[in-house]
Amino acid sequence: MPEQTHIKKRIAVFESWSKTYNQSIVDLMLKKFGVDYRDAILGVARKAAPQPGEEVLDIATGTGTVALALAEEANAECRIMGIDITQSMLDAARKNVDSTGMGDIFEFRQASAEELPFADNSYDVVTSSLALHHTNVPAVLRECHRVLRPGGRVVIADVTANRTWRCPVGAFYRLMDQLYMLGTESNDLFCQFHTQEEWMGLMRNAGFAGVEQKFFAPKHSWSRGIIIVSGAKPSA
Ligand SMILES: C[S@@+](CC[C@H](N)C(=O)[O-])C[C@H]1O[C@@H](n2cnc3c(N)ncnc32)[C@H](O)[C@@H]1O
């Protein structure tokens, strides 16, 4: 299937999911992954730890949950740009941040993670949560590195591939996982998941230093886990 058709289908899934996203993501994460969605979001915001005056970019911001957690972490003293390919997600994000009274510090823009519409060295912090498996990760990490200022930090949460999927009978475990996830929005066939180890390599290959990870192990030994991976763009 051509890439453009994938993108259109993916946007259509997220357009319809945007109406129920905030509640259904909490249930999905808990029931299928055994992870509290709030733990993943706070994990990203606390690791990113935006400081007063910093410029923050949240990629694939969805309904703005991470963006809001980042604002709270910085006592609303930073500026936050959220981008997403799905306009209805951004509309929900705008509504959510406005309802907190902190709306002025946010800007939202429709854009692709793979082609960020920003100049080189323009952000202090880049974050993304539960979205990069929908993208070409090496391309997105290259863009994260490009838009970060030297010394800037990147923090990413994502759903991982399971190690068992890479073993000789991995296709069987993958099939079990596909059946397990049937009926959830997360069973999108166009996803590309990476294992914990692959994530570490992808971050280093993109030029990030001090790469670290926190892992939420999968509920079942053959299913998906959640990783929070972080690093920094070297200063010189
Ligand atoms: C599961 S939601 C995650 C939203 C939010 N970050 C969170 O943690 O709740 C995935 C989001 O990724 C967005 N997305 C998917 N592919 C994208 C791309 N190539 N560029 C930007 N956003 C993308 C979708 O529109 C959707 O809002």
Side-chain angles (χ1 to χ4, degrees):
M1 195 182 294
E3 182 62 14
Q4 283 308 316
T5 316
H6 280 182
I7 293 170
K8 276 191 191 151
K9 283 200 165 185
R10 190 177 304 145
I11 292 176
V13 169
F14 283 116
E15 286 282 349
S16 68
W17 196 6
S18 63
K19 297 170 192 78
T20 56
Y21 182 81
N22 282 3
Q23 188 49 49
S24 61
I25 189 70
V26 174
D27 292 345
L28 173 71
M29 293 272 289
L30 206 56
K31 286 189 187 138
K32 295 293 180 184
F33 303 121
V35 174
D36 186 331
Y37 173 65
R38 195 77 199 149
D39 285 348
I41 298 303
L42 285 179
V44 172
R46 289 188 180 144
K47 188 71 192 172
Q51 301 300 302
E54 284 194 325
E55 304 271 347
V56 183
L57 170 64
D58 185 41
I59 293 176
T61 196
T63 58
T65 317
V66 172
L68 264 176
L70 289 161
E72 280 162 16
E73 194 65 26
N75 290 321
E77 289 177 10
C78 60
R79 291 208 56 80
I80 301 175
M81 167 68 77
I83 67 110
D84 201 286
I85 44 164
T86 309
Q87 186 57 48
S88 59
M89 283 284 190
L90 294 172
D91 295 341
R94 173 45 72 193
K95 224 166 143 186
N96 287 340
V97 301
D98 283 349
S99 72
T100 66
M102 292 189 287
D104 288 356
I105 69 165
F106 297 92
E107 192 179 325
F108 294 105
R109 217 186 271 187
Q110 191 175 22
S112 167
E114 288 153 22
E115 263 177 285
L116 297 173
F118 307 115
D120 297 358
N121 307 321
S122 46
Y123 286 96
D124 301 292
V125 180
V126 174
T127 57
S128 186
S129 152
L130 307 177
L132 294 197
H133 55 278
H134 299 292
T135 69
N136 175 334
V137 172
V140 175
L141 292 181
R142 264 196 306 279
E143 281 293 84
C144 293
H145 192 274
R146 180 182 68 75
V147 302
L148 271 175
R149 298 191 173 113
R153 291 104 63 205
V154 62
V155 185
I156 292 164
D158 204 12
V159 183
T160 63
N162 191 294
R163 277 183 199 149
T164 62
W165 300 359
R166 305 292 187 246
C167 76
V169 289
F172 171 70
Y173 294 115
R174 177 83 199 243
L175 180 65
M176 278 172 69
D177 178 76
Q178 288 278 312
L179 293 173
Y180 176 63
M181 297 300 287
L182 219 54
T184 70
E185 289 83 350
S186 192
N187 206 32
D188 179 340
L189 296 173
F190 316 127
C191 297
Q192 288 183 47
F193 299 103
H194 300 282
T195 63
Q196 267 175 282
E197 293 75 15
E198 288 163 359
W199 263 107
M200 298 296 277
L202 286 162
M203 291 283 284
R204 292 189 182 114
N205 288 345
F208 292 109
V211 177
E212 290 177 3
Q213 61 146 327
K214 176 175 177 170
F215 189 57
F216 300 85
K219 195 167 174 179
H220 302 290
S221 59
W222 39 264
S223 188
R224 311 168 198 186
I226 304 287
I227 194 169
I228 298 179
V229 63
S230 59
K233 178 169 172 173
S235 294

